Amino acid sequence: MRNHRTILVTGGAGFIGLNLIQYFLGNHPHYHIINLDKLTYAANMTELEKLKAHSNYQFIKGDINDRALLEQLFSDHGITDVIHLAAESHVDRSIEAPDVFIQTNVHGTFTLLDVAKKHWLDMRNDQKCRFHHISTDEVYGSLGQDGFFTEHTAYAPNSPYSASKAASDFLVRSYFHTYGLNTVTTNCSNNYGPRQHSEKLIPTIIRKAVKLERIPIYGDGKNIRDWLFVLDHCRGIDLAFHKGKAGETYNIGGKNEHTNIEIATTLCGILDEIAPEYKKGTRISSYKELISFVSDRPGHDRRYAIDASRIEHELGWKAEEGFESGLRKTVEWYIHENQQSKPT
Ligand code: NAD
């Protein structure tokens, strides 16, 4: 195994990227991390700023579609590995405006792969350099009441977001099979935890509750997602990055299936307990009273559930965070952030 690595992490100003860089800086202090991010609306500038303190870390603002910039980064910094997270990631936005999803998720991934191939294989013939692609379980489509997504499940993406991620997965696959690029892909279920953008389900529920606004839940609230605490995802990425077989894909999921309505009621219960002050003096006795059903999202997949046996058996990964404790940590983090951002 290489001791010295200069890893280009793309999308490191987003939810998972911020958590992953923090995790890598703590667990692999001898690596150098270059964070390339376009700083779209999804970037968290406050959290990004906190990473600056590390001497083995550097931030570059830029687009993964900018081939000239990528070429320069690979040459100037001697990039030895890529962990690719940069993406447009919100399903609702992909329904409204799919173009940028194709541009970033498909064309951006292609550009990154092609520059990596040129610098590592064509110029240096170094097959050890790793390209780790971060993807989603949404590429598999929707499940009925039973069954799980395995690495052999046929791709059946239903939203422009999942279709763009599926296309990027196939491009990664092709760069392994055609050129021998040392790729690995991880397909993960829904992440939750600190630093997630406020537009996603769990932060939305918390944000609306503390503002005493209606908590919108799509359709009948019975859509099921398999939730994973973001640090468990980071541990899975760490293992697959270092030990995953070249060309292989690994599913990562927490065996934590919950309906959206269960998530909302659990979060409201935690908020009732640890943050009752926001409803003090109002007619609301529980934040649960704010939950309200809204028209369903078009093409809304009913159920996702991951079979993570491959990464468990082959790489020794296991989800460590309990669901209730993970949600509690998440709520505590958002309440703390909410208090910090209030004018004094
Ligand atoms: P996010 O939306 O929070 O962050 C994405 C980051 O990518 C942002 O900082 C954004 O500025 C950056 N970015 C967007 N376009 C870019 C471009 N053209 N060039 C450079 N940077 C660009 O997303 P996230 O939730 O952290 O997800 C990260 C990755 O993990 C994505 O690839 C996503 O598909 C995948 N994933 C996410 C989840 C989840 O539950 N959040 C689950 C499975 C897989």
Side-chain angles (χ1 to χ4, degrees):
M1 206 202 282
R2 292 178 179 219
N3 283 325
H4 180 76
R5 292 174 181 262
T6 300
I7 307 174
L8 179 67
V9 175
T10 68
F15 165 46
I16 299 172
L18 285 163
N19 282 288
L20 183 75
I21 290 176
Q22 192 74 52
Y23 175 91
F24 262 62
L25 289 170
N27 287 276
H28 305 291
H30 46 294
Y31 292 169
H32 194 78
I33 306 269
I34 314 260
N35 177 5
L36 172 68
D37 196 296
K38 188 180 168 186
L39 301 184
T40 68
Y41 80 94
N44 184 329
M45 300 307 291
T46 316
E47 292 296 317
L48 184 65
E49 201 58 27
K50 293 181 190 164
L51 294 174
K52 270 191 179 163
H54 297 267
S55 58
N56 53 337
Y57 164 84
Q58 198 177 339
F59 175 72
I60 312 274
K61 182 179 178 203
D63 191 326
I64 53 166
N65 283 292
D66 184 345
R67 180 180 273 267
L69 171 65
L70 294 179
E71 297 261 10
Q72 195 194 333
L73 287 178
F74 273 71
S75 301
D76 293 356
H77 297 276
I79 302 295
T80 58
D81 305 271
V82 169
I83 304 182
H84 174 39
L85 298 109
E88 287 293 334
S89 71
H90 193 48
V91 176
D92 288 345
R93 285 178 187 260
S94 83
I95 295 167
E96 297 293 319
D99 307 42
V100 70
F101 284 72
I102 306 306
Q103 193 57 28
T104 287
N105 301 359
V106 185
H107 195 267
T109 301
F110 158 69
T111 309
L112 198 54
L113 281 164
D114 210 50
V115 171
K117 170 202 163 259
K118 177 176 164 189
H119 281 258
W120 296 341
L121 302 183
D122 302 347
M123 288 164 60
R124 301 212 310 255
N125 193 23
D126 185 345
Q127 274 138 16
K128 290 195 290 298
C129 299
R130 172 135 276 193
F131 190 104
H132 186 150
H133 176 55
I134 308 299
S135 195
T136 166
D137 61 351
E138 301 195 27
V139 296
Y140 298 120
S142 186
L143 286 168
Q145 299 240 303
D146 307 312
F148 297 91
F149 298 133
T150 74
E151 290 80 359
H152 301 293
T153 304
Y155 275 30
N158 290 322
S159 72
Y161 164 66
S162 52
S164 68
K165 290 298 288 187
S168 68
D169 292 8
F170 286 149
L171 282 166
V172 173
R173 179 187 158 91
S174 77
Y175 268 69
F176 167 72
H177 284 282
T178 307
Y179 306 109
L181 193 69
N182 177 5
T183 63
V184 69
T185 297
T186 43
N187 294 82
C188 189
S189 60
N190 277 44
N191 283 219
Y192 71 98
R195 306 185 177 102
Q196 189 162 29
H197 192 276
S198 60
E199 70 186 358
K200 298 288 172 74
L201 180 69
I202 287 178
T204 297
I205 295 169
I206 301 170
R207 176 169 49 87
K208 296 278 183 186
V210 300
K211 285 193 192 157
L212 301 177
E213 290 175 3
R214 234 161 41 105
I215 299 171
I217 297 294
Y218 281 133
D220 60 5
K222 300 219 172 103
N223 298 66
I224 294 174
R225 299 293 178 263
D226 184 353
W227 292 92
L228 184 70
F229 193 62
V230 64
L231 281 181
D232 278 326
H233 187 191
C234 294
R235 290 184 195 104
I237 293 172
D238 188 0
L239 280 170
F241 174 75
H242 288 103
K243 297 187 182 159
K245 216 173 127 201
E248 198 58 276
T249 66
Y250 297 89
N251 283 350
I252 310 181
K255 288 204 181 79
N256 247 318
E257 287 186 55
H258 294 278
T259 61
N260 291 345
I261 190 68
E262 275 166 10
I263 299 284
T265 49
T266 308
L267 283 170
C268 288
I270 295 172
L271 280 164
D272 284 340
E273 204 187 301
I274 67 175
E277 64 273 21
Y278 296 95
K279 58 182 166 69
K280 207 171 150 195
T282 72
R283 272 192 258 155
I284 289 172
S285 63
S286 164
Y287 294 109
K288 290 174 196 164
E289 292 161 41
L290 296 165
I291 295 173
S292 86
F293 294 98
V294 297
S295 324
D296 209 354
R297 163 196 275 170
H300 200 180
D301 291 332
R302 195 66 179 166
R303 174 172 169 257
Y304 302 145
I306 283 262
D307 176 347
S309 344
R310 175 180 282 170
I311 193 165
E312 287 172 355
H313 296 148
E314 294 181 18
L315 306 183
W317 177 83
K318 203 170 168 307
E320 289 174 18
E321 188 68 58
F323 189 59
E324 176 80 26
S325 62
L327 278 187
R328 197 168 280 268
K329 283 181 187 168
T330 308
V331 172
E332 281 164 357
W333 188 85
Y334 281 99
I335 294 295
H336 180 71
E337 286 304 289
N338 197 41
Q339 283 159 358
Q340 297 291 100
S341 60
K342 269 196 191 141
T344 44

